[in-house]
Amino acid sequence: MADISPKKLSTKFEHIMCHTFALLQCIVLIIILGSLEAFTTTNTCIKTSRGASNLSAIANPLKRRSRTNIIHVESVQEYKEQVVNEKECISVVRFYSQYCKSCQASEPHFYKLASEFSNKDASGIKVNFVEVPLNKNTSILHEALEVPSLPWTHIYHPDAGLVEERAVSKKYINDVRKCLRCYVYGECDMDDAPWDCKEVYGECAIE
């Protein structure tokens, strides 16, 4: 067996160390790239998920704030069943469009109004709150009822039928509240009494 000189042995050892160091560098680089790819993928998924959620909220802003105490009407037949044929409850109908900024701004105030009168039957009269969006299925209903602008509200009394037509934007929500109290409790301000408040209850002022 031939002897290997110290110089050749040293050179061979250096080659081995170089290859080993290069291999370690490759392994470290692969680990770093893998971690970076995983982080990027996760971050992208999070952003995509958030973006999809926000997009869904923008496309259908009313859906995320749906209320169980509000009836959602999507057809003429449903409107007839839930509103026109209702003979026990006062019905407060809100006509709106999901793309209408004023409708979006007034929506939480309308929901608050609904919660205030939810299951209120001290007067013996309960109140149903109904929403009718403007779409291809309900556009004929909006036209037939001659809704002049959005958001708009109709108030139906079980004995008198349609008794009020009013704007229900954020600016006028308190007017709708006062009007509704008149029909539910027989209460309203004399200076701001609807013309048919006395006709329905005989007396408008609180005794």
Side-chain angles (χ1 to χ4, degrees), residues 73-89:
V73 168
E74 288 283 354
S75 68
V76 175
Q77 182 60 32
E78 288 181 358
Y79 190 84
K80 183 179 179 181
E81 294 172 355
Q82 299 293 342
V83 179
V84 178
N85 294 341
E86 176 57 58
K87 300 304 179 184
E88 296 181 359
C89 304

PDB file of all heavy atoms in Angstrom, residues 73-89:
ATOM      1  N   VAL A  73     -88.507  40.213   2.537  1.00  0.00           N
ATOM      2  CA  VAL A  73     -89.430  39.885   1.448  1.00  0.00           C
ATOM      3  C   VAL A  73     -88.710  39.973   0.108  1.00  0.00           C
ATOM      4  O   VAL A  73     -88.039  40.965  -0.176  1.00  0.00           O
ATOM      5  CB  VAL A  73     -90.651  40.825   1.466  1.00  0.00           C
ATOM      6  CG1 VAL A  73     -91.459  40.692   0.193  1.00  0.00           C
ATOM      7  CG2 VAL A  73     -91.527  40.513   2.676  1.00  0.00           C
ATOM      8  N   GLU A  74     -88.862  38.938  -0.718  1.00  0.00           N
ATOM      9  CA  GLU A  74     -88.161  38.883  -2.008  1.00  0.00           C
ATOM     10  C   GLU A  74     -89.086  38.737  -3.208  1.00  0.00           C
ATOM     11  O   GLU A  74     -88.613  38.538  -4.317  1.00  0.00           O
ATOM     12  CB  GLU A  74     -87.167  37.718  -2.006  1.00  0.00           C
ATOM     13  CG  GLU A  74     -85.931  37.937  -1.141  1.00  0.00           C
ATOM     14  CD  GLU A  74     -84.908  38.850  -1.793  1.00  0.00           C
ATOM     15  OE1 GLU A  74     -85.112  39.227  -2.967  1.00  0.00           O
ATOM     16  OE2 GLU A  74     -83.898  39.180  -1.139  1.00  0.00           O
ATOM     17  N   SER A  75     -90.409  38.818  -3.002  1.00  0.00           N
ATOM     18  CA  SER A  75     -91.333  38.661  -4.124  1.00  0.00           C
ATOM     19  C   SER A  75     -92.660  39.353  -3.816  1.00  0.00           C
ATOM     20  O   SER A  75     -92.955  39.675  -2.659  1.00  0.00           O
ATOM     21  CB  SER A  75     -91.588  37.173  -4.409  1.00  0.00           C
ATOM     22  OG  SER A  75     -92.323  36.575  -3.358  1.00  0.00           O
ATOM     23  N   VAL A  76     -93.459  39.557  -4.849  1.00  0.00           N
ATOM     24  CA  VAL A  76     -94.775  40.174  -4.687  1.00  0.00           C
ATOM     25  C   VAL A  76     -95.664  39.290  -3.821  1.00  0.00           C
ATOM     26  O   VAL A  76     -96.411  39.777  -2.967  1.00  0.00           O
ATOM     27  CB  VAL A  76     -95.426  40.412  -6.067  1.00  0.00           C
ATOM     28  CG1 VAL A  76     -96.847  40.938  -5.903  1.00  0.00           C
ATOM     29  CG2 VAL A  76     -94.594  41.387  -6.901  1.00  0.00           C
ATOM     30  N   GLN A  77     -95.591  37.978  -4.035  1.00  0.00           N
ATOM     31  CA  GLN A  77     -96.408  37.040  -3.274  1.00  0.00           C
ATOM     32  C   GLN A  77     -96.059  37.090  -1.782  1.00  0.00           C
ATOM     33  O   GLN A  77     -96.951  37.082  -0.926  1.00  0.00           O
ATOM     34  CB  GLN A  77     -96.203  35.616  -3.809  1.00  0.00           C
ATOM     35  CG  GLN A  77     -97.061  34.553  -3.116  1.00  0.00           C
ATOM     36  CD  GLN A  77     -98.549  34.808  -3.254  1.00  0.00           C
ATOM     37  OE1 GLN A  77     -99.010  35.353  -4.255  1.00  0.00           O
ATOM     38  NE2 GLN A  77     -99.312  34.430  -2.229  1.00  0.00           N
ATOM     39  N   GLU A  78     -94.775  37.154  -1.472  1.00  0.00           N
ATOM     40  CA  GLU A  78     -94.354  37.249  -0.071  1.00  0.00           C
ATOM     41  C   GLU A  78     -94.836  38.552   0.556  1.00  0.00           C
ATOM     42  O   GLU A  78     -95.224  38.571   1.729  1.00  0.00           O
ATOM     43  CB  GLU A  78     -92.831  37.149   0.027  1.00  0.00           C
ATOM     44  CG  GLU A  78     -92.283  35.755  -0.239  1.00  0.00           C
ATOM     45  CD  GLU A  78     -90.765  35.707  -0.115  1.00  0.00           C
ATOM     46  OE1 GLU A  78     -90.156  36.774   0.141  1.00  0.00           O
ATOM     47  OE2 GLU A  78     -90.195  34.623  -0.280  1.00  0.00           O
ATOM     48  N   TYR A  79     -94.803  39.624  -0.221  1.00  0.00           N
ATOM     49  CA  TYR A  79     -95.272  40.917   0.284  1.00  0.00           C
ATOM     50  C   TYR A  79     -96.762  40.842   0.607  1.00  0.00           C
ATOM     51  O   TYR A  79     -97.207  41.355   1.641  1.00  0.00           O
ATOM     52  CB  TYR A  79     -95.020  42.012  -0.750  1.00  0.00           C
ATOM     53  CG  TYR A  79     -95.237  43.416  -0.227  1.00  0.00           C
ATOM     54  CD1 TYR A  79     -94.232  44.077   0.459  1.00  0.00           C
ATOM     55  CD2 TYR A  79     -96.448  44.077  -0.412  1.00  0.00           C
ATOM     56  CE1 TYR A  79     -94.425  45.366   0.956  1.00  0.00           C
ATOM     57  CE2 TYR A  79     -96.653  45.356   0.069  1.00  0.00           C
ATOM     58  CZ  TYR A  79     -95.636  45.995   0.754  1.00  0.00           C
ATOM     59  OH  TYR A  79     -95.832  47.272   1.248  1.00  0.00           O
ATOM     60  N   LYS A  80     -97.498  40.179  -0.257  1.00  0.00           N
ATOM     61  CA  LYS A  80     -98.940  40.029  -0.029  1.00  0.00           C
ATOM     62  C   LYS A  80     -99.197  39.228   1.243  1.00  0.00           C
ATOM     63  O   LYS A  80    -100.059  39.585   2.055  1.00  0.00           O
ATOM     64  CB  LYS A  80     -99.579  39.333  -1.224  1.00  0.00           C
ATOM     65  CG  LYS A  80    -101.098  39.183  -1.117  1.00  0.00           C
ATOM     66  CD  LYS A  80    -101.672  38.519  -2.350  1.00  0.00           C
ATOM     67  CE  LYS A  80    -103.196  38.356  -2.228  1.00  0.00           C
ATOM     68  NZ  LYS A  80    -103.764  37.673  -3.427  1.00  0.00           N
ATOM     69  N   GLU A  81     -98.440  38.139   1.422  1.00  0.00           N
ATOM     70  CA  GLU A  81     -98.638  37.273   2.583  1.00  0.00           C
ATOM     71  C   GLU A  81     -98.206  37.937   3.887  1.00  0.00           C
ATOM     72  O   GLU A  81     -98.908  37.833   4.907  1.00  0.00           O
ATOM     73  CB  GLU A  81     -97.853  35.966   2.390  1.00  0.00           C
ATOM     74  CG  GLU A  81     -98.365  35.097   1.249  1.00  0.00           C
ATOM     75  CD  GLU A  81     -97.459  33.913   0.973  1.00  0.00           C
ATOM     76  OE1 GLU A  81     -96.383  33.825   1.621  1.00  0.00           O
ATOM     77  OE2 GLU A  81     -97.789  33.096   0.093  1.00  0.00           O
ATOM     78  N   GLN A  82     -97.060  38.621   3.865  1.00  0.00           N
ATOM     79  CA  GLN A  82     -96.478  39.163   5.092  1.00  0.00           C
ATOM     80  C   GLN A  82     -97.019  40.541   5.472  1.00  0.00           C
ATOM     81  O   GLN A  82     -97.000  40.897   6.657  1.00  0.00           O
ATOM     82  CB  GLN A  82     -94.950  39.238   4.950  1.00  0.00           C
ATOM     83  CG  GLN A  82     -94.269  37.909   4.731  1.00  0.00           C
ATOM     84  CD  GLN A  82     -94.358  36.994   5.943  1.00  0.00           C
ATOM     85  OE1 GLN A  82     -94.626  37.425   7.054  1.00  0.00           O
ATOM     86  NE2 GLN A  82     -94.121  35.700   5.721  1.00  0.00           N
ATOM     87  N   VAL A  83     -97.488  41.301   4.487  1.00  0.00           N
ATOM     88  CA  VAL A  83     -97.892  42.679   4.762  1.00  0.00           C
ATOM     89  C   VAL A  83     -99.374  42.917   4.474  1.00  0.00           C
ATOM     90  O   VAL A  83    -100.141  43.281   5.375  1.00  0.00           O
ATOM     91  CB  VAL A  83     -97.034  43.669   3.943  1.00  0.00           C
ATOM     92  CG1 VAL A  83     -97.476  45.106   4.228  1.00  0.00           C
ATOM     93  CG2 VAL A  83     -95.557  43.498   4.261  1.00  0.00           C
ATOM     94  N   VAL A  84     -99.766  42.725   3.227  1.00  0.00           N
ATOM     95  CA  VAL A  84    -101.134  43.062   2.816  1.00  0.00           C
ATOM     96  C   VAL A  84    -102.169  42.237   3.576  1.00  0.00           C
ATOM     97  O   VAL A  84    -103.210  42.760   4.001  1.00  0.00           O
ATOM     98  CB  VAL A  84    -101.301  42.857   1.294  1.00  0.00           C
ATOM     99  CG1 VAL A  84    -102.747  43.175   0.878  1.00  0.00           C
ATOM    100  CG2 VAL A  84    -100.330  43.741   0.528  1.00  0.00           C
ATOM    101  N   ASN A  85    -101.914  40.941   3.757  1.00  0.00           N
ATOM    102  CA  ASN A  85    -102.883  40.057   4.406  1.00  0.00           C
ATOM    103  C   ASN A  85    -102.742  40.001   5.929  1.00  0.00           C
ATOM    104  O   ASN A  85    -103.465  39.246   6.586  1.00  0.00           O
ATOM    105  CB  ASN A  85    -102.755  38.637   3.839  1.00  0.00           C
ATOM    106  CG  ASN A  85    -103.155  38.559   2.380  1.00  0.00           C
ATOM    107  OD1 ASN A  85    -103.848  39.443   1.867  1.00  0.00           O
ATOM    108  ND2 ASN A  85    -102.724  37.514   1.688  1.00  0.00           N
ATOM    109  N   GLU A  86    -101.810  40.771   6.480  1.00  0.00           N
ATOM    110  CA  GLU A  86    -101.608  40.789   7.932  1.00  0.00           C
ATOM    111  C   GLU A  86    -102.747  41.547   8.613  1.00  0.00           C
ATOM    112  O   GLU A  86    -102.967  42.723   8.336  1.00  0.00           O
ATOM    113  CB  GLU A  86    -100.269  41.448   8.263  1.00  0.00           C
ATOM    114  CG  GLU A  86     -99.998  41.615   9.750  1.00  0.00           C
ATOM    115  CD  GLU A  86    -100.048  40.304  10.505  1.00  0.00           C
ATOM    116  OE1 GLU A  86     -99.273  39.380  10.152  1.00  0.00           O
ATOM    117  OE2 GLU A  86    -100.867  40.204  11.430  1.00  0.00           O
ATOM    118  N   LYS A  87    -103.466  40.862   9.509  1.00  0.00           N
ATOM    119  CA  LYS A  87    -104.642  41.449  10.149  1.00  0.00           C
ATOM    120  C   LYS A  87    -104.519  41.575  11.667  1.00  0.00           C
ATOM    121  O   LYS A  87    -105.492  41.940  12.333  1.00  0.00           O
ATOM    122  CB  LYS A  87    -105.892  40.615   9.808  1.00  0.00           C
ATOM    123  CG  LYS A  87    -106.205  40.518   8.325  1.00  0.00           C
ATOM    124  CD  LYS A  87    -106.365  41.893   7.688  1.00  0.00           C
ATOM    125  CE  LYS A  87    -106.647  41.781   6.192  1.00  0.00           C
ATOM    126  NZ  LYS A  87    -106.704  43.114   5.528  1.00  0.00           N
ATOM    127  N   GLU A  88    -103.333  41.277  12.201  1.00  0.00           N
ATOM    128  CA  GLU A  88    -103.167  41.348  13.644  1.00  0.00           C
ATOM    129  C   GLU A  88    -102.080  42.334  14.075  1.00  0.00           C
ATOM    130  O   GLU A  88    -102.147  42.879  15.173  1.00  0.00           O
ATOM    131  CB  GLU A  88    -102.823  39.958  14.200  1.00  0.00           C
ATOM    132  CG  GLU A  88    -103.940  38.942  14.013  1.00  0.00           C
ATOM    133  CD  GLU A  88    -103.573  37.593  14.602  1.00  0.00           C
ATOM    134  OE1 GLU A  88    -102.436  37.464  15.132  1.00  0.00           O
ATOM    135  OE2 GLU A  88    -104.402  36.678  14.527  1.00  0.00           O
ATOM    136  N   CYS A  89    -101.089  42.538  13.215  1.00  0.00           N
ATOM    137  CA  CYS A  89     -99.940  43.373  13.593  1.00  0.00           C
ATOM    138  C   CYS A  89     -99.827  44.612  12.714  1.00  0.00           C
ATOM    139  O   CYS A  89    -100.228  44.608  11.542  1.00  0.00           O
ATOM    140  CB  CYS A  89     -98.642  42.577  13.474  1.00  0.00           C
ATOM    141  SG  CYS A  89     -98.613  41.054  14.436  1.00  0.00           S
TER     142      CYS A  89
END
